[in-house]
Amino acid sequence: MITDTAVSAMLAREEALFRQRNPNSAARADSGSRHWLNGVPMLWMSDWGTPFPLIMDKAQGATLTDIDGNSYADFCLGDTGAMFGHTPEPVVKAIAAQVARGTTTMLPSSDAAVVGELLADRFGLPYWQVTATASDANRAILRWCRAVTGRSRVLVFNRCYHGAVEDTFVTLKDGKVITSPSLVGEVRDLPLHTRMIEFNDLAALEQALADETVACVLAEPVMTNVGMVLPDPGYHDALRDLTRRTGTLLVIDETHCLSSGPGGYTKAEGLEPDAIVLGKPVAGGVPTSVYGVSEEFGQRIRDYLGRREQLGFSGIGTTLSGSALQMAAMRAMLENYFTESSFAPLIELARRLEGGIARLIEKHAAPWHVVRVGARVEFMCTPDRPRNGGEAYDMIHKPVDVAVHHYLLNRGVLITPFHNMMLICPVTTEADVNALLEGLDSCLAELGSPA
Ligand SMILES: Cc1ncc(COP(=O)(O)O)c(C=O)c1O
């Protein structure tokens, strides 16, 4: 049994220890806060729950070092942006070479043809486009879906996250779709054009698609942004079947689930989407995302463009997308890391981590559980597996998460903030995994012992 008293006692002590270990970060965070809006270059950098953000000195391999000289086994890996490790050598070399030859020209570089081939080969879809972020890729694909179907609505799942894509910022409240209260500065009535249901609810899906006004379903194959929610057996087959029957396009957002293998969850599980979005690590941390479409979807896009009088000003695309720098970095990543042989050891080590956490949960009789998708592992501080985003959201117990995160940080282990996600990269070692398991072991021993 883990009591609130044990959690608050741990958090108070660990916060004090955090301040003591990080005097330089405290001072630098304080002076940095003078000119950054809300104190940090990016708002969510202050959302870690720590008294102040740690200021990083360097990130190499699977290790972060802060400006107080503390080092961390990094299981967050830039929330997937560095999923193949920080500073992967082939990418460092490719970027350095490309920078010397020019970063961006608004024309294809000689790597473009090779990257197109590699994407088609790895992910099984023939036509691709590049953006700077996965948010942009999702926005673009929603537009194409609406354009070619002539339908205005999109469908997403409760508590999904697909980046800063306005259309997806709705939520279910008492069974009704509302604009997410957290969304800043939105003036449109988003539920007019976005339908939302719970993941794994086939009856709701059938009903939501029945009137054939939905352009596309946008889905993560496993929900990974509200803890982790696995699809029920057969759910993806039914999703594909229902979308096909109603003329609804199916877009799979692989930004996180590409931890499943070199062709993402889609290849690993034999999904047949009309489009795929791949974000974050595809260019080793150089801001890049891509989306790919099927033969048929590609033809519909070409037909649509053929019917337009004015080309250009499509509202799709940004200046630095498709740059020579992105292409060089992507080529190095796809050639060196998006391979079966590169993924196999990651998945094996992730399995070990999952097994180790499961054993600790049993040893301490903790009311927690652990799940995994490829090289991505998540423990949730609740005994039952959620079946959908609504259940997962209600289960996430913030104070215990924050206490555990502080405890691990103070012992040189960093996991993803907001929930308990851990990624294995090619240079994560057994020793890193053991450090995480030892940290969790002593943390659980303390949380579970009577005061
Ligand atoms: C599934 C998914 N899609 C898209 C995004 C957006 O990625 P970006 O912030 O790089 O635009 C995220 C970010 O976490 C994500 O988890």
Side-chain angles (χ1 to χ4, degrees):
M1 161 108 156
I2 296 175
T3 63
D4 290 350
T5 321
V7 170
S8 358
M10 175 179 282
L11 185 55
R13 191 201 58 220
E14 293 299 323
E15 273 183 0
L17 183 56
F18 181 91
R19 289 179 198 279
Q20 200 185 317
R21 278 167 51 91
N22 298 296
N24 293 337
S25 274
R28 195 61 66 84
D30 187 45
S31 55
S33 72
R34 259 181 256 140
H35 296 293
W36 292 114
L37 186 62
N38 300 306
V40 280
M42 187 69 198
L43 197 53
W44 42 249
M45 288 179 175
S46 60
D47 283 349
W48 283 64
T50 47
F52 46 84
L54 286 174
I55 310 292
M56 284 302 150
D57 180 33
K58 66 177 183 216
Q60 246 163 352
T63 308
L64 299 181
T65 311
D66 68 23
I67 60 169
D68 285 285
N70 301 309
S71 65
Y72 302 87
D74 184 9
F75 289 89
C76 169
L77 296 167
D79 192 12
T80 313
M83 197 185 108
F84 297 93
H86 299 284
T87 59
E89 204 187 323
V91 180
V92 172
K93 280 195 184 141
I95 293 174
Q98 189 58 52
V99 165
R101 295 158 57 85
T103 55
T104 189
T105 60
M106 277 195 96
L107 287 165
S109 68
S110 58
D111 285 326
V114 183
V115 172
E117 289 275 339
L118 287 164
L119 286 168
D121 175 69
R122 302 297 192 266
F123 294 93
L125 290 178
Y127 305 119
W128 294 83
Q129 285 285 277
V130 184
T131 64
T133 66
S135 304
D136 284 345
N138 279 322
R139 268 194 218 100
I141 203 75
L142 293 188
R143 264 171 199 270
W144 286 125
C145 289
R146 285 170 160 152
V148 305
T149 60
R151 301 177 179 182
S152 75
R153 297 199 171 97
V154 298
L155 184 139
V156 290
F157 295 98
N158 193 27
R159 299 291 169 190
C160 66
Y161 185 69
H162 296 286
V165 183
E166 292 79 357
D167 297 81
T168 63
F169 273 77
V170 297
T171 190
L172 283 183
K173 188 165 186 245
D174 305 325
K176 205 170 161 272
V177 187
I178 58 165
T179 297
S180 300
S182 59
L183 183 60
V184 175
E186 180 60 58
V187 295
R188 290 168 299 164
D189 184 11
L190 297 178
L192 269 184
H193 299 293
T194 302
R195 286 192 175 157
M196 172 164 269
I197 56 169
E198 291 287 7
F199 197 61
N200 279 328
D201 184 344
L202 283 175
L205 181 66
E206 188 159 10
Q207 198 184 355
L209 302 184
D211 65 2
E212 304 192 359
T213 63
V214 175
C216 68
V217 172
L218 172 61
E220 272 196 284
V222 172
M223 294 186 80
T224 65
N225 282 292
V226 58
M228 205 184 268
V229 182
L230 300 175
D232 286 347
Y235 183 69
H236 277 292
D237 290 341
L239 172 62
R240 182 63 278 193
D241 186 44
L242 278 169
T243 45
R244 276 208 181 108
R245 272 200 271 143
T246 53
T248 313
L249 292 164
L250 177 60
V251 182
I252 293 292
D253 182 347
E254 288 272 6
T255 299
H256 277 180
C257 293
L258 58 78
S259 58
S260 305
Y265 190 95
T266 295
K267 257 283 176 69
E269 299 295 328
L271 306 190
E272 294 175 5
D274 298 294
I276 290 181
V277 168
L278 306 173
K280 302 190 189 181
V282 72
V286 173
T288 310
S289 176
V290 288
Y291 57 95
V293 297
S294 66
E295 188 67 50
E296 191 196 336
F297 193 0
Q299 188 55 48
R300 288 174 80 180
I301 291 175
R302 281 191 295 273
D303 291 347
Y304 169 85
L305 290 173
R307 292 193 298 272
R308 274 166 65 103
E309 279 172 18
Q310 183 188 1
L311 292 177
F313 292 99
S314 62
I316 296 177
T318 55
T319 311
L320 296 179
S321 299
S323 73
L325 186 62
Q326 289 177 320
M327 289 299 164
M330 257 199 290
R331 178 173 180 172
M333 286 308 293
L334 289 162
E335 283 177 345
N336 291 283
Y337 294 101
F338 285 72
T339 63
E340 292 292 349
S341 59
S342 166
F343 262 86
L346 311 192
I347 293 179
E348 190 42 45
L349 196 53
R351 262 200 205 104
R352 273 213 47 223
L353 175 61
E354 180 192 24
I357 295 177
R359 277 190 292 281
L360 291 178
I361 291 173
E362 205 182 322
K363 171 177 167 189
H364 295 282
W368 294 7
H369 71 275
V370 60
V371 273
R372 180 178 64 80
V373 52
R376 178 183 303 269
V377 181
E378 172 101 27
F379 63 86
M380 294 184 73
C381 304
T382 160
D384 302 316
R385 271 193 192 179
R387 273 197 64 230
N388 59 50
E391 281 183 20
Y393 186 79
D394 290 341
M395 282 174 181
I396 289 180
H397 189 341
K398 297 257 158 46
V400 79
D401 286 359
V402 178
V404 173
H405 286 218
H406 276 75
Y407 189 95
L408 292 175
L409 269 180
N410 287 335
R411 283 147 194 85
V413 175
L414 184 140
I415 65 175
T416 310
F418 321 137
H419 51 114
N420 305 314
M421 193 274 289
M422 297 146 289
L423 272 169
I424 302 289
C425 79
V427 284
T428 306
T429 59
E430 298 248 352
D432 293 329
V433 167
N434 290 340
L436 170 48
L437 291 174
E438 279 158 26
L440 266 184
D441 193 9
S442 51
C443 180
L444 275 168
E446 187 178 325
L447 282 175
S449 63

